[in-house]
Amino acid sequence: MSMPSSSNQQLSHENDSWKKTMVLPPKDTRPQTEDVTATKGNEFEDYFLKRELLMGIFEAGFERPSPIQEEAIPIALTGRDILARAKNGTGKTAAFVIPTLEKINNKKSKIQALLLVPTRELALQTSQVCKNLGKHLGVQVMVTTGGTTLKDDIMRLSESVHIVVGTPGRILDLASKGVADFSEASTFVMDEADKLLSPEFTPIIDQLISFFPKDRQIMLFSATFPIIVKHFKEKYLVKPYEINLMDELTLRGVTQYYAYVEEKQKVHCLNTLFSKLQINQSIIFCNSTNRVELLAKKITELGYSCFYSHAKMLQSHRNRVFHDFRNGVCRNLVCSDLLTRGIDIQAVNVVINFDFPKNAETYLHRIGRSGRFGHLGLAINLITYEDRFNLYKIERELGTEIQPIPPVIDKRLYVAPSALEDSEGQADNYHFSNSNRGGRFRTQQPNGGGNSRSRIPDPLP
Ligand SMILES: Nc1ncnc2c1ncn2[C@@H]1O[C@H](COP(=O)(O)OP(=O)(O)OP(=O)(O)O)[C@@H](O)[C@H]1O
Ligand SMILES: [Mg+2]
């Protein structure tokens, strides 16, 4: 039956009226690379998602799907197993969260999906993405990790939970005790799947899967898929749809340099970098817990503000550091590989490997903490004599070139045009900005020398 065109127009007008009720964030005007712009031109509306879900997506500031979302969302909605590989910061989280949310029946008070991640901070972040994108859906999301009180989780599970986000140990604990019931959980996602399938986790994953129904859908996501995944794939996945958007491995927006130094010159070198670089926020990686603490102390002594985090800290303290750094309370964060994977802080434009990592996967994930969603970033590696072979090995494995650091680094390589220090006159006018992502910021000054955040209490002992 055909309708008169005027009522057709009226219908589409009425159908679109929900769009006017949305509160959209300011548009992100920073330049983006092809890592996220080379799409097929899909729209989120092409996937026939619930209107409430579309509202959550648009209100998060997403305008259209990224390449990995275009590939994964339609297939995931059909219920097929997926093994997906895409570069850091290109939107893998929403690629599995959107179809997961779409498939939840909020009338049914049962756990229907598990999103498994390797670290507690990543669990908190992923559950937040679920809550944001699903905020109009009436879906109950629960996050559960080690380092918190088991009793609280048990209490929470006595209420309605549709999606569980968490780390393997605690989830297995809850499932084995019969507190978390996954018997009707049809979706099982493993983010950073290669990490979850490393020997430290595999026995847990094997047990966990036994609590799921036979016809569950399993989806694996990561930027890196070493061969260890093959065994799992053959054992558990049914005709998986494989996505690989990594024709090259490193991000186009991230410029990589190395500085050849002696171990004892490292702190001095870092000091020089702090004074020369236009850091909005930085993450500085060390190879051990001990070195994280020592370096954080040195940085504080140099007069710069910094937080630190590592696995041996109390979880409550770890959470506070993560939360406050994300909110821009402090400019620099020193950490171990605890925060190497998945952590998404758009304001980070510089990553420094104070200690060079041992393998290519770790390197890739670390430098991928900058240059999120196709934006610009800078990765600086301090290389000692002992690291030299490792540097060549990682360059070779990743097919990338890490250049020696030039005397002057062009700020246009890692600072958004809107935030470039264009004139001295604006120096007093800057503010250290996280919320507007590209913000106006300038070179940081030690102790009170213009750092607007120096008044903020430093959590370091
Ligand atoms: N369609 C989109 N439009 C705009 N921004 C998006 C879109 N999808 C994701 N983003 C943003 O991109 C950033 C990176 O996304 P995400 O953390 O999912 O990347 P990732 O692929 O999981 O990276 P990693 O491999 O490092 O874990 C997030 O800040 C997210 O909000
Ligand atoms: Mg991720």
Side-chain angles (χ1 to χ4, degrees):
M1 192 182 78
S2 70
M3 273 192 270
S5 66
S6 62
S7 61
N8 245 342
Q9 270 166 10
Q10 196 185 349
L11 198 66
S12 77
H13 180 73
E14 275 170 17
N15 279 348
D16 275 356
S17 61
W18 58 276
K19 287 189 180 166
K20 299 204 178 64
T21 65
M22 291 191 299
V23 188
L24 301 180
K27 223 175 155 68
D28 189 350
T29 55
R30 293 174 294 167
Q32 292 174 328
T33 66
E34 282 179 10
D35 286 334
V36 294
T37 59
T39 64
K40 297 190 274 194
N42 285 5
E43 299 287 340
F44 283 113
E45 283 160 280
D46 298 340
Y47 307 136
F48 303 102
L49 303 169
K50 292 184 186 104
R51 181 175 296 177
E52 292 75 15
L53 178 52
L54 281 175
M55 285 175 76
I57 294 171
F58 293 136
E59 286 184 357
F62 298 5
E63 289 178 350
R64 53 189 58 84
S66 68
I68 181 63
Q69 293 162 2
E70 284 187 329
E71 293 298 325
I73 294 172
I75 304 294
L77 289 170
T78 69
R80 187 163 166 193
D81 287 351
I82 290 182
L83 200 158
R85 184 170 180 189
K87 287 189 192 182
N88 297 117
T90 56
K92 291 187 289 294
T93 317
F96 58 77
V97 166
I98 290 171
T100 301
L101 285 168
E102 174 67 22
K103 286 189 286 177
I104 300 296
N105 172 1
N106 65 4
K107 304 274 174 333
K108 190 168 119 184
S109 186
K110 281 272 182 186
I111 298 172
Q112 294 162 52
L114 170 64
L115 310 183
L116 199 64
V117 299
T119 65
R120 297 166 186 178
E121 282 77 358
L122 187 54
L124 292 174
Q125 179 184 288
T126 307
S127 71
Q128 201 50 54
V129 173
C130 260
K131 287 174 190 165
N132 283 349
L133 296 179
K135 70 178 171 199
H136 299 293
L137 281 168
V139 166
Q140 299 302 321
V141 181
M142 172 185 174
V143 59
T144 169
T145 68
T148 61
T149 324
L150 187 69
K151 208 168 121 227
D152 292 345
D153 283 354
I154 296 175
M155 301 271 280
R156 175 71 184 83
L157 281 162
S158 64
E159 294 159 25
S160 170
V161 174
H162 301 114
I163 302 179
V164 175
V165 184
T167 48
R170 173 61 61 91
I171 306 233
L172 179 61
D173 207 7
L174 292 168
S176 319
K177 288 188 164 68
V179 187
D181 172 16
F182 291 105
S183 64
E184 291 185 41
S186 51
T187 309
F188 183 173
V189 177
M190 290 164 70
D191 188 22
E192 306 297 345
D194 55 320
K195 180 71 184 173
L196 288 173
L197 294 172
S198 64
E200 59 178 309
F201 287 123
T202 22
I204 306 183
I205 308 291
D206 276 331
Q207 290 180 64
L208 203 50
I209 287 191
S210 68
F211 291 99
F212 279 71
K214 287 268 167 309
D215 58 350
R216 81 262 132 160
Q217 173 186 26
I218 301 182
M219 296 188 267
L220 309 187
F221 283 79
S222 186
T224 48
F225 271 116
I227 329 154
I228 40 170
V229 177
K230 193 167 171 273
H231 179 66
F232 180 88
K233 183 177 121 186
E234 284 162 2
K235 192 165 167 195
Y236 294 110
L237 301 191
V238 184
K239 291 206 210 104
Y241 183 76
E242 296 193 30
I243 302 167
N244 184 357
L245 302 185
M246 312 267 296
D247 43 357
E248 62 184 5
L249 302 175
T250 47
L251 287 164
R252 297 205 172 175
V254 176
T255 305
Q256 312 165 66
Y257 291 124
Y258 73 85
Y260 195 64
V261 292
E262 279 180 41
E263 185 59 50
K264 59 178 188 295
Q265 297 174 314
K266 280 184 173 179
V267 173
H268 176 71
C269 183
L270 188 66
N271 194 15
T272 312
L273 290 171
F274 277 168
S275 66
K276 296 237 153 93
L277 294 177
Q278 198 169 321
I279 292 175
N280 193 34
Q281 275 191 296
S282 79
I283 301 185
I284 301 150
F285 286 101
C286 293
N287 284 355
S288 76
T289 306
N290 213 3
R291 287 176 64 81
V292 167
E293 294 209 7
L294 288 172
L295 179 60
K297 195 155 171 272
K298 289 270 188 232
I299 292 176
T300 314
E301 282 167 10
L302 290 174
Y304 292 101
S305 72
C306 93
F307 284 172
Y308 70 85
S309 192
H310 58 66
K312 292 194 183 136
M313 273 160 50
L314 266 182
Q315 192 54 41
S316 54
H317 190 180
R318 263 167 70 173
N319 290 356
R320 202 180 81 221
V321 168
F322 184 55
H323 175 269
D324 287 355
F325 183 68
R326 177 181 284 285
N327 286 323
V329 171
C330 184
R331 201 186 287 267
N332 309 295
L333 173 68
V334 185
C335 63
S336 62
D337 280 314
L338 180 67
L339 299 178
T340 290
R341 282 173 176 259
I343 297 310
D344 177 61
I345 301 174
Q346 291 234 359
V348 172
N349 68 333
V350 176
V351 166
I352 298 171
N353 280 320
F354 188 81
D355 295 332
F356 197 63
K358 299 275 175 288
N359 68 59
E361 279 96 24
T362 306
Y363 179 79
L364 194 71
H365 286 283
R366 280 187 185 182
I367 69 167
R369 291 324 97 208
S370 75
R372 304 300 288 168
F373 209 65
H375 295 122
L376 298 174
L378 184 66
I380 306 231
N381 299 288
L382 305 192
I383 299 290
T384 63
Y385 184 73
E386 285 73 36
D387 296 321
R388 68 197 188 285
F389 292 123
N390 232 348
L391 175 69
Y392 303 138
K393 185 182 80 139
I394 290 181
E395 276 188 298
R396 214 178 35 245
E397 285 182 22
L398 296 180
T400 188
E401 211 173 323
I402 309 174
Q403 301 275 1
I405 192 165
V408 178
I409 299 178
D410 187 345
K411 291 191 162 68
R412 284 169 300 184
L413 290 170
Y414 65 102
V415 178
S418 60
L420 283 169
E421 286 172 354
D422 34 16
S423 78
E424 276 302 302
Q426 279 183 339
D428 290 337
N429 212 2
Y430 87 104
H431 58 275
F432 165 44
S433 165
N434 185 315
S435 57
N436 70 358
R437 308 170 201 152
R440 183 173 297 286
F441 44 81
R442 66 170 183 182
T443 327
Q444 60 183 331
Q445 310 277 320
N447 257 351
N451 185 338
S452 64
R453 291 287 163 177
S454 55
R455 278 168 281 116
I456 285 159
D458 203 319
L460 293 175

